[in-house]
Amino acid sequence: MNTSSVSPLNPATAADADQHLQAASPDHPAACAMAASPSPRRSPRRRQAGFTLVELTVVFLVIVVLTVLAVPRVQAIIIEGSTPSVAQEMQRAVNRIRAARAGSGVTPYSSVSVAELGAVLRNTSYTVSPAAPAAANAVQHALGSGQGTASVTVAAGTLVSAGDSFTVSFAEVDRAGCAPLMATLAASAEVVSSTPSGASSATVVKANGGTFSGGLAQSTCADRNTLAFTFR
């Protein structure tokens, strides 16, 4: 019976096999180096910096809302701060008109005019037009509501006889300056009245010979007011 013969292993082949076995061993330097080296990974995509259109729109809307809410309050603060100087400048103008008309009889103010008032209010917080040396024909105050012409007018008044006094009127006075202006000028005015925008008649907060009512003055003030002061 024939038996299959096994050929002897080639020395070169045996050496190669031995090298492969050694390389596969976990203790072999090459195997250790391969295990230590990290496998290549795809780096995550970095998030791009910046804002989206939606985010920018939201920020813009927030700024708009805050601005709308803040503007009236800022305007009120400015008007409140301007009221003392507006009142003091008018008081000085009244005193100058009184001095110029002194000794002119019992009705010295029958011919008082805007030109006369404007002449004594130049170079103040009031806006007087046209510019000097032309005679003034329009005067505006700095307490306006921003919804109309903040004009200041003057006309002869009547306490006992026509022309024995004169009345200075402030149109479109903002709420923030309404009561403070009345309170300041009431010290020298004979009569003080307030007419809120849209009202059919004026409310007298100081009558001739009476006292000024601060509470009534405050309650009559609206967003837009016309204030009248009669001086003698």
Side-chain angles (χ1 to χ4, degrees):
M1 182 173 60
N2 292 332
T3 59
S4 58
S5 59
V6 179
S7 60
L9 184 62
N10 190 330
T13 304
D16 292 339
D18 185 58
Q19 291 179 0
H20 285 294
L21 290 173
Q22 292 179 4
S25 173
D27 296 329
H28 192 275
C32 293
M34 293 177 62
S37 61
S39 59
R41 295 180 180 178
R42 180 177 298 177
S43 59
R45 180 179 298 175
R46 293 183 178 179
R47 185 177 180 181
Q48 295 181 349
F51 298 97
T52 66
L53 180 59
V54 174
E55 292 172 334
L56 290 175
T57 302
V58 171
V59 172
F60 175 75
L61 291 176
V62 170
I63 293 175
V64 169
V65 171
L66 292 177
T67 301
V68 170
L69 294 177
V71 166
R73 182 54 188 159
V74 172
Q75 181 183 12
I77 292 173
I78 294 173
I79 290 175
E80 287 175 1
S82 302
T83 302
S85 61
V86 169
Q88 292 168 8
E89 289 165 351
M90 179 54 69
Q91 184 61 65
R92 287 194 292 268
V94 167
N95 290 338
R96 292 178 64 179
I97 292 175
R98 284 170 170 167
R101 301 287 178 132
S104 299
V106 294
T107 58
Y109 306 108
S110 57
S111 62
V112 69
S113 65
V114 173
E116 185 176 358
L117 179 66
V120 295
L121 284 175
R122 291 193 187 276
N123 302 317
T124 66
S125 65
Y126 292 82
T127 301
V128 180
S129 58
N137 58 27
V139 179
Q140 294 185 18
H141 60 83
L143 308 179
S145 62
Q147 301 183 46
T149 302
S151 61
V152 181
T153 57
V154 63
T158 302
L159 293 175
V160 178
S161 303
D164 63 355
S165 57
F166 62 100
T167 300
V168 178
S169 299
F170 292 74
E172 293 293 341
V173 178
D174 187 87
R175 180 189 295 272
C178 177
L181 183 63
M182 286 193 285
T184 304
L185 291 180
S188 59
E190 303 297 327
V191 179
V192 180
S193 65
S194 171
T195 308
S197 178
S200 58
S201 61
T203 299
V204 177
V205 297
K206 180 183 179 181
N208 186 23
T211 58
F212 173 72
S213 174
L216 180 59
Q218 185 69 48
S219 66
T220 61
C221 289
D223 291 338
R224 302 161 60 191
N225 308 273
T226 298
L227 307 181
F229 304 88
T230 299
F231 301 94
R232 179 168 54 189

